[in-house]
Amino acid sequence: MKITRAADYAIRCVLYLAKQPPREVVSRREVAEAMDIPMAFLGKIAQGLAKAGLVVVRQGAKGGYQLAKVPARITLLDVIEALDGEIEVNDCLTRPEECGRMPSCRVHRALIDIRTALRRHLEAVTFEDLAKGDECPGTAARRDSEGALGCLES
């Protein structure tokens, strides 16, 4: 499973909003600059998040974005599925009628279990958790061999 760039940007947007004081309205420009999200793309992403009931879009001179729920009630699964739709790991799970092997396929059962475990894990991670653990206190951040950002051990 690979999330889209839109879902990645949506995660960044919600994470930034989760770090703000409750009910704070943050300008689109501030979110875009702080989280390295193209301004034009952020507007589209915010609309998807608003449609899913995760973000409120405020119009006008003092407009911007704010969370529609407290960060503890927004999960990674919520945000990813708001932009990418329901998570699937293989076409046979979304269209089982197209797979002639489905009734006896052990791989199908394994993929269902994998999808279930992945969804549970993403649902267990809240933006309250992410906002608290986003920094590397007393250490420097670095990228690993695959390009993922992490904290250096002291």
Side-chain angles (χ1 to χ4, degrees), residues 9 20 27-28 34 38 40-41 47 50 62 97 123 128 138 140 150 152:
Y9 287 157
Q20 308 310 311
S27 75
R28 180 167 75 167
F41 205 9
Q47 290 302 321
K62 301 240 182 207
E97 68 282 353
E123 195 170 40
E128 179 180 62
L152 291 172

Side-chain angles (χ1 to χ4, degrees), residues 11 15 19 76 125-135:
I11 291 167
L15 179 58
K19 291 179 173 185
L76 271 177
V125 180
T126 70
F127 278 85
E128 179 180 62
D129 300 331
L130 293 171
K132 286 179 183 174
D134 191 47
E135 305 299 324

Side-chain angles (χ1 to χ4, degrees), residues 33-147:
E33 289 176 0
M35 301 308 283
D36 296 318
I37 305 170
M39 284 274 289
F41 205 9
L42 181 56
K44 181 179 177 185
I45 289 163
Q47 290 302 321
L49 292 169
K51 187 176 179 183
L54 303 174
V55 167
V56 175
V57 177
R58 303 278 182 208
Q59 301 296 330
K62 301 240 182 207
Y65 308 130
Q66 71 184 120
L67 292 181
K69 303 176 183 183
V70 296
R73 304 217 358 110
I74 303 173
T75 69
L76 271 177
L77 182 67
D78 295 331
V79 174
I80 292 168
E81 289 191 340
L83 275 287
D84 289 355
E86 188 173 339
I87 290 176
E88 294 296 349
V89 294
N90 194 318
D91 287 339
C92 73
L93 300 179
T94 54
R95 296 186 304 274
E97 68 282 353
E98 291 183 16
C99 180
R101 299 180 42 78
M102 210 279 288
S104 62
C105 182
R106 297 184 93 179
V107 173
H108 182 80
R109 180 74 243 160
L111 291 174
I112 288 173
D113 293 345
I114 290 166
R115 176 189 61 190
T116 301
L118 177 60
R119 290 177 58 80
R120 269 195 222 124
H121 186 73
L122 292 171
E123 195 170 40
V125 180
T126 70
F127 278 85
E128 179 180 62
D129 300 331
L130 293 171
K132 286 179 183 174
D134 191 47
E135 305 299 324
C136 297
T139 64
R142 61 132 176 101
R143 294 206 181 269
D144 66 15
S145 62
E146 295 180 11

